[in-house]
Amino acid sequence: MSSKEGSGGFRKRKHDNFPHNQRREGKDVNSSSPVMLAFKSFQQELDARHDKYERLVKLSRDITVESKRTIFLLHRITSAPYMEEILTEAEIKLDGVRQKILQVAQELSGEDMHQFHRAITTGLQEYVEAVSFQHFIKTRSLISMDEINKQLIFSTEDNGKENKTCFLDLILILYIEKVGTDGL
């Protein structure tokens, strides 16, 4: 053994001289300083944004799951007698999905949608697929973007005034992302 190691066989490190439960000597952080107050407000803003993002991810997951269930339901159409019954059930499921999309629209009200679009894109894509499949089964034709957007205009009444929340921008971003700007 070398003389540095001592009798225990372990070398002492710099921080071994300090007691484990006490802080090193130095300045205490002043929690009322302008810098700390600024960082506290940044922390609160980032926490709020993160919480909103997580809520949107959860809603998008719910939209994805219900849309997939609708698609699976529509795949069960094997004969004409059951077709109307299944289409009615699918429409009820899609109405529930639209209510989730309304919640997303309310969450994004007054926000820069581009900051949160990754949280909701997958759910909207699955919704568009379910609506497209349902429309194709009914009409044997493809649904247009305008028809999808008409289903996503929500009306609410605030103090006797009717407000319309349109999800057109979101669907347009989804469309541009999927097809590219050449498809427009």
Side-chain angles (χ1 to χ4, degrees):
M1 268 197 242
S2 70
S3 61
K4 286 184 179 180
E5 293 180 18
S7 61
F10 295 104
R11 290 179 56 178
K12 274 192 146 194
R13 293 168 282 189
K14 278 189 209 177
H15 69 274
D16 286 342
N17 294 332
F18 295 104
H20 290 292
N21 294 332
Q22 296 178 5
R23 293 182 81 184
R24 294 184 188 187
E25 286 183 34
K27 292 184 176 180
D28 284 336
V29 178
N30 182 359
S31 61
S32 64
S33 74
V35 173
M36 288 304 292
L37 292 174
F39 274 103
K40 187 75 168 168
S41 74
F42 296 151
Q43 176 191 10
Q44 290 170 346
E45 184 178 333
L46 287 172
D47 285 347
R49 184 153 302 170
H50 178 73
D51 291 345
K52 181 178 289 259
Y53 190 89
E54 290 301 316
R55 285 191 303 272
L56 289 169
V57 166
K58 184 186 179 316
L59 284 169
S60 179
R61 256 188 265 126
D62 293 345
I63 291 168
T64 301
V65 167
E66 285 304 312
S67 296
K68 282 184 181 289
R69 286 180 182 158
T70 304
I71 292 168
F72 295 149
L73 175 68
L74 291 169
H75 277 286
R76 287 189 229 146
I77 294 178
T78 55
S79 62
Y82 299 110
M83 186 169 154
E84 285 304 316
E85 188 177 305
I86 290 176
L87 285 174
T88 303
E89 188 178 340
E91 188 60 39
I92 291 168
K93 284 185 177 286
L94 287 174
D95 284 340
V97 173
R98 286 184 201 99
Q99 290 306 308
K100 296 277 186 195
I101 292 174
L102 173 61
Q103 291 175 3
V104 169
Q106 290 168 340
E107 241 347 290
L108 289 174
S109 178
E111 293 285 341
D112 181 13
M113 185 182 62
H114 301 288
Q115 293 179 352
F116 300 102
H117 108 283
R118 286 188 62 190
I120 57 175
T121 298
T122 55
L124 290 175
Q125 288 173 352
E126 204 64 37
Y127 168 76
V128 169
E129 184 179 337
V131 168
S132 299
F133 189 40
Q134 179 196 34
H135 183 79
F136 182 78
I137 289 172
K138 282 181 176 177
T139 65
R140 295 291 183 219
S141 66
L142 296 177
I143 191 169
S144 70
M145 286 294 293
D146 289 336
E147 290 176 70
I148 293 174
N149 286 328
K150 285 177 188 172
Q151 296 175 4
L152 296 177
I153 296 176
F154 305 104
S155 297
T156 57
E157 287 197 29
D158 294 328
N159 299 330
K161 253 201 290 190
E162 186 176 325
N163 293 330
K164 289 193 176 185
T165 306
C166 183
F167 229 54
L168 175 66
D169 295 335
L170 222 92
I171 296 297
L172 188 58
I173 285 174
L174 169 70
Y175 182 73
I176 290 171
E177 185 176 287
K178 202 151 180 113
V179 205
T181 53
D182 298 336
L184 293 177

